[in-house]
Amino acid sequence: VVAFQASLFAVRMGFPYEDLTTPNSLSLYSKWLNQSCQPNFWKNVVPDSSKSCGPYKRPEKVTYKEEETVSQRSVHHHDTIGMVVIGASGTVASGTSTNGAVHKIPGRVGDSPIAGAGSYADSTAGGAAATGDGDIMMRFLPSYQAVEYMRMGTDPTVACQKVISRIQKYAPRFFGAVICANTTGSYGAACNKIPGFTQFHFMVSSPLLSQPTEQIVDCI
C-alpha cells in the first residue's frame, strides 16, 4: 500500500493523521520548483523531465535512453542504510532503510520493502543488504541471491561480487552495492564501478574488534 491509500490504511488502523510539512520542507520544495523540479526521476515522458515540472505523459513514440542520468542522480541524491546482524544465538537479521531521495515520484515502490531485493536473511545461511538503483536491483533480488550463494558455501565477498556481476550483464551502468555476512561471522561487500562511484565504504562491528571499523572495497 503506497501514497494516499497508505495514509488511509494507517488512519483506519488508529494512527492520527498529521501534516508533516515544516518550514524547512517548504523551503526545499520551493528551491526544487525553482530548479525546474530537479532532481527528477521521471523517464521517457513528455515534456522533457530534465527541463520541466510536468505534468507528464507517455510520448507517442517511446525511445528508451541509456540510464546514465538516473545513475548519476542516484549517486549524488540519496543513500540507503543497510544492516546485517548475527545475534549471539546465531539468529541472522537484515534490514534496509528507504533511500532518502527527495521529490520521488508519488506512489512509487522501491526495492527496500521487496523481500530479497533491499535485504534478506536466513539464519541457516546468512544475510545481505543492498543499496542502489532500486528499479534495477529489485528485478534481480540481489540480497536473496547472495544468501543463496552463501548457502552453497560461497565466501561472502564472492557472493556479493557474483550478484553484482549478474546485474552488470543486463545493466552495466547501474549504481549499486551489496553487503553480505554468513552464519560464521565472515563478511564482504561488492559494488558496481561507474564514474563517481569506484569504492564502497561500510562499517563492521564484531566481538573480535575493539571498536566498529570502516572497511573499503574497490568496485568491480
Side-chain angles (χ1 to χ4, degrees), residues 2-216:
V2 295
F4 171 73
Q5 293 295 327
S7 298
L8 183 60
F9 174 75
V11 170
R12 286 174 175 171
M13 292 298 102
F15 290 89
Y17 187 85
E18 299 178 79
D19 183 356
L20 301 180
T21 302
T22 65
N24 184 52
S25 68
L26 286 173
S27 175
L28 290 172
Y29 179 62
S30 296
K31 182 180 178 182
W32 180 71
L33 289 175
N34 291 333
Q35 293 176 164
S36 298
C37 299
Q38 300 302 310
N40 191 304
F41 299 93
W42 287 86
K43 297 183 294 182
N44 301 308
V45 294
V46 290
D48 186 342
S49 63
S50 68
K51 300 175 182 178
S52 167
C53 293
Y56 307 108
K57 65 178 181 179
R58 180 184 176 91
E60 291 183 11
K61 184 178 181 181
V62 180
T63 55
Y64 291 96
K65 301 177 182 178
E66 192 71 42
E67 296 195 11
E68 270 183 87
T69 53
V70 176
S71 293
Q72 290 167 356
R73 292 168 188 165
S74 297
V75 171
H76 299 293
H77 291 292
H78 82 258
D79 197 8
T80 302
I81 298 174
M83 298 183 72
V84 178
V85 179
I86 303 173
S89 64
T91 301
V92 181
S94 69
T96 180
S97 68
T98 189
N99 64 28
V102 294
H103 314 303
K104 294 192 291 286
I105 298 172
R108 175 187 175 273
V109 176
D111 62 300
S112 296
I114 306 301
S119 70
Y120 191 78
D122 185 328
S123 295
T124 66
T131 182
D133 290 339
D135 297 290
I136 294 175
M137 297 185 77
M138 67 178 144
R139 289 160 46 194
F140 299 91
L141 300 181
S143 297
Y144 170 78
Q145 189 64 52
V147 171
E148 290 307 299
Y149 283 136
M150 290 188 287
R151 186 191 306 282
M152 294 186 289
T154 305
D155 175 81
T157 296
V158 176
C160 282
Q161 292 172 342
K162 289 181 74 166
V163 297
I164 291 295
S165 296
R166 183 166 171 257
I167 301 174
Q168 281 177 333
K169 294 177 183 178
Y170 301 91
R173 297 174 185 246
F174 87 100
F175 162 59
V178 182
I179 57 171
C180 303
N182 64 19
T183 52
T184 68
S186 296
Y187 58 85
C191 52
N192 186 45
K193 185 177 182 179
I194 58 173
F197 186 61
T198 58
Q199 290 185 322
F200 181 64
H201 298 236
F202 63 103
M203 300 297 293
V204 176
S205 179
S206 164
L208 302 177
L209 300 172
S210 58
Q211 61 182 15
T213 305
E214 182 182 35
Q215 306 282 325
I216 303 173

